[in-house]
Amino acid sequence: VQLQASGGGLVHSGDSLRLSCTVSGRTFSTYALAWFRQGPGKERERVAVIRSGGTIYYGDSVKGRFTISRDNAKKMVYLQMNSLKSEDTAVYYCAADPTNLARGSWQYWGQGTLVTVSS
């Protein structure tokens, strides 16, 4: 299974950005998928999760601003980020959990895409 994240860039506070992640693998629809991020000098943070049945979880810092979605036919997972803040600046990673438990068994990771939000 391989993941490829894209869509990062430099934006201003208040702007929106959509990240995309392509996921290879025949059983994509059964995976839990997630976006993580790691800001400068910070620990990795789980941003959003979408399980195979559609259950979604968000980190407290992004609730109401970010939306995770998936397209099983295209084998894609997205992260729509609105009302971006400088503290959202980070490298964003997509990850896949074949167990669909979304409890830390994130076996597969993409390479990361940098999001920089200028104030």
Side-chain angles (χ1 to χ4, degrees), residues 21-90:
C21 178
T22 60
V23 183
S24 68
R26 292 182 297 172
T27 55
F28 168 87
S29 63
T30 67
Y31 299 165
L33 302 166
W35 289 95
F36 289 77
R37 68 184 181 185
Q38 188 164 17
K42 298 181 181 180
E43 294 186 353
R44 189 174 64 192
E45 174 189 10
R46 194 180 76 176
V47 175
V49 174
I50 183 166
R51 298 177 65 186
S52 65
T55 303
I56 291 175
Y57 310 96
Y58 292 105
D60 289 340
S61 61
V62 306
K63 282 180 181 177
R65 299 189 298 123
F66 290 12
T67 302
I68 189 171
S69 61
R70 64 191 294 165
D71 186 329
N72 288 337
K74 295 182 178 179
K75 295 186 178 181
M76 298 284 292
V77 58
Y78 305 99
L79 186 68
Q80 177 67 42
M81 304 185 294
N82 298 329
S83 302
L84 282 162
K85 306 174 181 179
S86 57
E87 51 262 45
D88 295 319
T89 294

Side-chain angles (χ1 to χ4, degrees), residues 7-19 81-86 88-89 114-119:
L10 173 62
V11 297
H12 297 289
S13 294
D15 285 352
S16 297
L17 199 62
R18 189 176 84 154
L19 305 182
M81 304 185 294
N82 298 329
S83 302
L84 282 162
K85 306 174 181 179
S86 57
D88 295 319
T89 294
L114 176 62
V115 174
T116 303
V117 183
S118 64
S119 58

